[in-house]
Amino acid sequence: MAQASHGSVLDALGLRIASGELAPGSVCTLADLEAEFGVSRTVVREAVRVLEAMGMLSSRRRVGLTVTPTSEWSALDTRLIGWQLASPRRDHQIVVVNELRSAVEPIAARLAAQRGTDVQRSELLRLAARLEELGHSGRGASPEYLEVDIQFHDLILDMSGNLMLAANKAAIAAVIAGRSDVGLTPAIPYEEALDNHVQTAAAIARGDADGAERHTRGYVDAVLSEVRALV
């Protein structure tokens, strides 16, 4: 990697750490990395600073750079999620983030039914109708379906009016996209899951908090069961 850039060094190191190739406790030095990647010390330092900020590396004088325990990593950072989805740990990561969805999205839908604006409710119904249209036409694995699906889930999290719930948008979008990238999104969505999306939107639109939570749990639990079968 004679002409590696800051970004490529960051991605290469991040992937090694996220995949477990560089296990927690592994030690290297700036000089090691400078020689391996054939770049300046400045480029290496920039990549290392990012990984330190993400909690994946720590630096100590006379020791060098140490890979930290996974418990210290910024688990919701989309760069980390991307590296994990590109690693042999992909299936495990898909399960982990869908477990997060199962915990977060049903309560977000309940709150959305209570707090969403009329404009947001109308938009959610529009997105649900588009998902249904695309799904029934066999385009469930298309880029447009993926885009609309992410917009649908982002909007529910925003409608919750809870900034801490909404802060999970990027992580959830990353794993929805990752699931699509590895071919786990069917061209014709499961009818029950698609119907639960439509019913979730309808429940939120009419202010039915119980129905919104129930139908949301219906589709997130279905996806979770599906991906758990992979590991």
Side-chain angles (χ1 to χ4, degrees):
M1 195 181 292
Q3 297 298 320
S5 66
H6 154 247
S8 61
V9 173
L10 173 61
D11 283 336
L13 281 176
L15 181 57
R16 286 187 198 174
I17 296 171
S19 67
E21 180 182 338
L22 288 176
S26 300
V27 177
C28 61
T29 66
L30 291 173
D32 293 336
L33 298 175
E34 184 179 354
E36 177 181 354
F37 291 104
V39 296
S40 69
R41 182 66 59 92
T42 298
V43 169
V44 172
R45 286 187 188 278
E46 288 175 354
V48 166
R49 270 198 292 268
V50 174
L51 293 169
E52 286 180 310
M54 295 173 66
M56 299 174 73
L57 282 178
S58 65
S59 177
R60 292 178 57 193
R61 189 182 300 275
R62 292 199 279 279
V63 174
L65 304 167
T66 303
V67 178
T68 57
T70 57
S71 59
E72 297 181 17
W73 298 359
S74 299
L76 295 179
D77 191 301
T78 55
R79 290 168 298 192
L80 174 55
I81 292 172
W83 295 328
Q84 290 168 324
L85 291 175
S87 79
R89 296 180 176 180
R90 179 198 69 195
D91 292 346
H92 172 74
Q93 183 61 21
I94 290 175
V95 170
V96 165
V97 181
N98 276 291
E99 288 174 342
L100 173 68
R101 292 184 66 190
S102 184
V104 166
E105 288 195 50
I107 188 61
R110 167 174 283 277
L111 293 173
Q114 298 168 339
R115 299 173 177 174
T117 66
D118 289 342
V119 171
Q120 288 174 320
R121 294 172 197 273
S122 295
E123 175 63 5
L124 191 66
L125 288 171
R126 185 192 70 79
L127 292 171
R130 186 58 178 155
L131 284 177
E132 187 174 39
E133 179 184 356
L134 291 168
H136 286 163
S137 64
R139 297 167 63 191
S142 68
E144 184 181 358
Y145 186 95
L146 173 62
E147 180 181 358
V148 175
D149 194 27
I150 289 173
Q151 290 175 353
F152 179 89
H153 297 289
D154 279 356
L155 182 54
I156 289 176
L157 290 167
D158 282 335
M159 289 176 73
S160 74
N162 184 307
L163 292 177
M164 296 192 74
L165 292 177
N168 293 286
K169 286 192 302 183
I172 290 173
V175 83
I176 291 174
R179 180 170 173 260
S180 176
D181 290 342
V182 298
L184 295 178
T185 303
I188 300 178
Y190 298 113
E191 187 62 34
E192 182 180 0
L194 189 56
D195 182 64
N196 272 317
H197 279 71
V198 173
Q199 294 301 325
T200 292
I204 290 174
R206 65 176 180 266
D208 177 3
D210 289 341
E213 180 176 353
R214 182 176 67 256
H215 288 295
T216 302
R217 193 167 299 284
Y219 66 70
V220 295
D221 285 354
V223 171
L224 182 56
S225 296
E226 177 189 349
V227 297
R228 276 179 172 163
L230 299 173
V231 298

